[in-house]
Amino acid sequence: MDNSIVRAGYGRAAYRWREKRGTLKKAFAAAFPNTIPIFAGFWFLGMTYGIYMNVSGFPFWYPMLMSLTIFAGSMEFVAVNLLLGAFDPLQAFTMTLMINARHLFYGISMLDRYKGMGWKKFYLIFGMCDESFSINYTAEIPEGVDRGWFMFFVNLLNQFYWFFGSTLGGICGSFLRFDTEGLDFVMTAMFVVIFLEQWLKDTSHVSALLGLGISLLCRIAFGVDDFIIPAMIGILGVLTLIQKPLEEGGAAG
Amino acid sequence: MTVAQRLLTIGVIVLGTMLTRFLPFLIFPADKPTPGYVRYLGKVLPGAVFGLLVIYCLKNVSLFSGSHGLPEAISIGVVAALHLWKRQMLLSIAGGTVCYMLLVQLVF
């Protein structure tokens, strides 16, 4: 083969690689500052989650594996309880669907933005946790920065923080010298905060009160171990029945 | 649970989570409007589900025995007060958890 053609081919490849590296650098530099608050939060919550798993009797590779594959913080906390209970994959599956049902609506909001992202789209959907969604949905991506790589790095950094936090917690939990009794309240506290945030955001509190009320009734009627699924069916049923009045009242905007 | 049962449970949770994340992209083509019922659920379901999760966390609390749910009630009060005051998620969670740990270890 003619040497000059080979050289020209190499030159083009090297040029393309340099260009690509420039794109990646720029996207990373734009994405990173957006993830700093999540950095603080995920290390703290991830560590707590890892320690919680550790003191619940799980070796560190459980939080490690779960942070990589599930990557949905609240679900991972609930999973600790599910793993400590009796083997019930159907309950685990339906609880996962209910707790993570909000992802459906993140997905609906992102349908357009993830268009034409190629293989990156798979990871963007796979790693769409609350925090990554909020950043990618609201961030103003600067002109000239590749949108796909920007969102990709937001997801990747967030998952990296969560992964290291929970793995570290899972390893360090066994070296803790203080009494961890009551640490499991971190999950309650987290959901109370999320509930409050949602409450402050909602104009109507009908559905929040229904969620509390129906769950409480089912807890009393069905007992500790069997109330979740009836409560879910009850919530979905009542919300479906009152769709018209609720929407006419403008509550569901 | 055996290790195999635990791994299967984790697998089911992964499957459920991924279903909720991928489903919209599989069933709603981006160029068509989303059905009204789905949009409605997207608006009202989160509030109700978070209510359910709060009750789920408190499912083992008994009002008629032990500490009568007092440490839980006090700590939730602390979480809510901190959150309405500063609106700093981590501060509210950490404050409430430390409060609860002190209560169950030292008081009740």
Side-chain angles (χ1 to χ4, degrees):
Chain A
M1 211 200 284
D2 186 337
N3 262 337
S4 64
I5 295 176
V6 175
R7 263 203 306 278
Y10 280 147
R12 260 202 303 281
Y15 174 74
R16 241 182 278 137
W17 167 238
R18 265 203 303 276
E19 197 180 40
K20 175 126 190 169
R21 220 171 40 180
T23 309
L24 292 185
K25 259 194 197 156
K26 232 157 117 184
F28 187 86
F32 176 66
N34 282 284
T35 66
I36 291 174
I38 315 296
F39 174 81
F42 273 17
W43 277 79
F44 171 77
L45 274 181
M47 284 271 288
T48 317
Y49 162 66
I51 293 170
Y52 179 35
M53 280 225 87
N54 185 296
V55 298
S56 303
F58 295 93
F60 77 94
W61 58 265
Y62 273 94
M64 200 169 118
L65 176 77
M66 287 160 72
S67 64
L68 278 180
T69 55
I70 306 175
F71 191 43
S74 43
M75 191 58 226
E76 287 174 52
F77 274 101
V78 173
V80 183
N81 278 28
L82 292 174
L83 289 171
L84 289 173
F87 181 57
D88 188 349
L90 185 67
Q91 187 194 259
F93 189 66
T94 37
M95 273 206 81
T96 309
L97 290 185
M98 281 299 270
I99 292 173
N100 287 333
R102 62 186 190 287
H103 293 148
L104 292 171
F105 310 109
Y106 299 168
I108 291 168
S109 327
M110 284 305 204
L111 285 173
D112 281 331
R113 297 180 199 219
Y114 285 175
K115 253 188 187 166
M117 293 297 169
W119 61 270
K120 287 195 285 298
K121 187 172 172 178
F122 179 83
Y123 182 65
L124 287 175
I125 300 173
F126 171 84
M128 195 171 49
C129 65
D130 308 80
E131 290 76 6
S132 298
F133 166 75
S134 340
I135 295 178
N136 285 335
Y137 188 73
T138 53
E140 288 179 14
I141 304 173
E143 197 77 23
V145 170
D146 185 279
R147 303 181 61 86
W149 282 111
F150 175 92
M151 297 195 283
F152 181 87
F153 281 129
V154 167
N155 268 25
L156 190 69
L157 284 166
N158 285 347
Q159 186 162 21
F160 174 82
Y161 306 149
W162 180 255
F163 166 77
F164 272 87
S166 38
T167 306
L168 210 63
I171 294 170
C172 296
S174 44
F175 304 121
L176 288 181
R177 287 287 171 268
F178 64 91
D179 192 347
T180 53
E181 192 199 343
L183 183 72
D184 54 339
F185 191 78
V186 69
M187 183 167 113
T188 314
M190 184 180 73
F191 283 125
V192 169
V193 168
I194 294 177
F195 180 82
L196 269 176
E197 276 294 321
Q198 187 69 35
W199 181 280
L200 295 169
K201 231 168 42 194
D202 281 342
T203 43
S204 151
H205 304 307
V206 175
S207 83
L209 292 173
L210 275 176
L212 281 180
I214 294 174
S215 310
L216 195 61
L217 279 178
C218 289
R219 163 65 185 83
I220 296 166
F222 295 95
V224 175
D225 296 319
D226 300 307
F227 79 101
I228 289 288
I229 290 177
M232 289 171 178
I233 295 171
I235 288 170
L236 205 60
V238 174
L239 283 177
T240 303
L241 285 175
I242 62 167
Q243 178 180 2
K244 253 212 161 110
L246 213 55
E247 277 184 329
E248 274 164 12
Chain B
M1 267 197 245
T2 63
V3 172
Q5 285 176 330
R6 283 181 167 170
L7 288 180
L8 197 69
T9 304
I10 294 174
V12 160
I13 296 171
V14 173
L15 188 75
T17 306
M18 288 315 140
L19 199 63
T20 60
R21 285 184 181 162
F22 279 91
L23 204 60
F25 296 89
L26 302 175
I27 56 175
F28 298 120
D31 46 3
K32 283 191 193 139
T34 317
Y37 177 63
V38 175
R39 271 206 316 267
Y40 163 76
L41 283 184
K43 182 82 178 146
V44 295
L45 209 51
V49 170
F50 296 139
L52 166 74
L53 287 171
V54 170
I55 301 295
Y56 174 77
C57 292
L58 298 170
K59 67 180 162 48
N60 291 314
V61 173
S62 167
L63 294 178
F64 307 108
S65 60
S67 50
H68 306 282
L70 276 175
E72 285 81 8
I74 296 169
S75 306
I76 287 178
V78 169
V79 173
L82 276 174
H83 199 66
L84 294 175
W85 178 39
K86 289 282 187 188
R87 204 120 183 228
Q88 291 278 327
M89 191 164 189
L90 295 175
L91 177 76
S92 321
I93 295 175
T97 306
V98 169
C99 167
Y100 183 80
M101 290 173 77
L102 292 175
L103 284 177
V104 293
Q105 288 179 22
L106 305 174
V107 184
F108 290 94

